[in-house]
Structures are given as C-alpha cells and as structure tokens.
Amino acid sequence: FYIFGIMLTQGTAYYCFDRGDDCEAPEARQLKALFGSLDSSIMMLLQAMSNGISWGELLKILSPLHISYRFFFLVYIIFAIFAMVNVVTGVFVDGTVQSSKRDRANLIQEELHSKEEYIAAMHTLFNEMDLDSSGNITLEEFKIAIKDERLVAYFHVLGLEIEDVEILFCLLDRDQTGEIDIEEFLIGCMKLKGEAKSLDLAKL
C-alpha cells in the first residue's frame, strides 16, 4: 500500500504543480481530494482492494495523470486481487486439511477405544467361562458355559454366533492342547469376529 500510495500521491502533486491554476478544474479537484495526500491515497487503495469503492471509478479519476500512473494502479489491483485470492484459498485449504486431520484422529481414537472395550468384554466373558479360575477353559467348561443363555447372548453382542460348540472350541484352541488360555481366546474371537459372524468361513 505504502509504495503505491506514494507513487500516486507524487503523481498527483506533479500534475497539480505542472497545471498551476488549472488544478482547480472539477476533475483535478476530485483527483486532489482522493490522491492529494499519502493518507487519502492509501485509503483509496484499501477501498479499491476491499471493493469499498470500484477500482474502475478510481481509474477514471486517475485519467488526468500520465498513463504510467494508471498502469501502476492496475498492477496494484492485479497484485491485490491475486494476493487476496491466495490468502482466502490458503485459509480454506488449511481449514480443510486441519478438519481432515481432526476427523482422522477422531476415527483412530474411536477405533482404539472400541477395540479396548471389546477386549475388556472378552476378558469378562473368559472369566465367566473359566469355572475353576485356572486361567484356562476346557471343552467341558466351554460346553457348560454355552448352556447359559446369558453367555450365549454375550457372544452374540460381541459379534459371534455359536452354531457348533466343538468346532468353535477347536478354532479357539490354536495349539490344540484341549485348553484355551486368555491369549488364544482373545486372538481367536477377534479373528472370527473380523472374518464372519457365523463360523462358516472358519470351518472352510
């Protein structure tokens, strides 16, 4: 603003100095009123950029000056428009990027929280099925637990449907020792939940 303001103010001063008394003509008075001082010139440039006043009208007011001053004014307008567009675009792009990051972070946080809740629920279910609190579930304990409708409903809530007790036990007993520990139970249930709610795919 400052440099362009000085140039236009200087141009107006030179014009009035060269014209002498002719500087009191209507078009010259308007030129002096708007660009006769640095303060007013900067104010006009600000208004032209913010569309407070039409830059086309200001260009007409500058018409008494040499064409070079009008050229400098147009350069200022082009620069100001591109600068404003870039700033506005930058603000929107940055806002979109930040919003996307926040959404992604929220999704990750929700996924981690959901996984933690699922693991906690599986721990509770395992403890319910481990009747002798040995830290392992045998086939007999598994069959007894499955007779409890509450535990069956719990399996369903966690996304697992029990169709064949022995097959499900074999799938969870990864090392085939005849007992399921907590690690096998967690990994097995999460794998079955991820692949299919029923055990059809796991049977295959």
Side-chain angles (χ1 to χ4, degrees), residues 152 155-156 158-164 168 196-200:
V152 174
F155 264 107
H156 289 172
L158 294 173
L160 295 167
E161 295 181 5
I162 302 172
E163 296 179 353
D164 191 309
L168 176 57
K197 287 187 178 180
S198 70
L199 303 179
D200 293 338

Side-chain angles (χ1 to χ4, degrees), residues 6-68:
I6 289 176
M7 291 172 60
L8 294 176
T9 303
Q10 200 170 46
T12 302
Y14 287 153
Y15 174 80
C16 290
F17 181 78
D18 292 340
R19 296 298 184 276
D21 293 338
D22 291 342
C23 200
E24 296 303 317
E27 61 180 19
R29 282 204 303 268
Q30 191 174 22
L31 178 64
K32 282 174 58 179
L34 299 183
F35 295 98
S37 68
L38 182 58
D39 291 346
S40 60
S41 293
I42 291 176
M43 183 59 67
M44 290 304 103
L45 292 174
L46 282 170
Q47 290 193 49
M49 186 187 74
S50 61
N51 208 28
I53 184 171
S54 170
W55 63 266
E57 290 297 320
L58 293 177
L59 188 63
K60 289 179 182 178
I61 294 171
L62 291 170
S63 59
L65 301 182
H66 189 271
I67 191 172
S68 60

Side-chain angles (χ1 to χ4, degrees), residues 120-133 135 137 151 182 185:
M122 295 307 296
H123 269 282
T124 301
L125 182 57
F126 181 87
N127 292 331
E128 290 273 355
M129 299 177 73
D130 183 15
L131 301 178
D132 59 3
S133 300
I137 300 173
L151 292 181
I182 183 62
F185 188 73

Side-chain angles (χ1 to χ4, degrees), residues 113-187:
H113 183 66
S114 177
K115 188 173 182 178
E116 288 173 359
E117 287 186 337
Y118 185 82
I119 291 175
M122 295 307 296
H123 269 282
T124 301
L125 182 57
F126 181 87
N127 292 331
E128 290 273 355
M129 299 177 73
D130 183 15
L131 301 178
D132 59 3
S133 300
S134 63
N136 294 289
I137 300 173
T138 63
L139 178 59
E140 290 305 315
E141 287 177 316
F142 198 78
K143 287 180 177 180
I144 293 172
I146 295 304
K147 292 178 182 178
D148 187 338
E149 293 184 359
R150 182 174 58 85
L151 292 181
V152 174
Y154 207 179
F155 264 107
H156 289 172
V157 169
L158 294 173
L160 295 167
E161 295 181 5
I162 302 172
E163 296 179 353
D164 191 309
V165 176
E166 292 190 7
I167 289 178
L168 176 57
F169 184 87
C170 288
L171 291 171
L172 295 175
D173 184 14
R174 297 167 64 84
D175 56 8
Q176 302 299 306
T177 60
E179 293 183 334
I180 303 170
D181 59 27
I182 183 62
E183 183 178 351
E184 288 178 314
F185 188 73
L186 288 174
I187 294 174

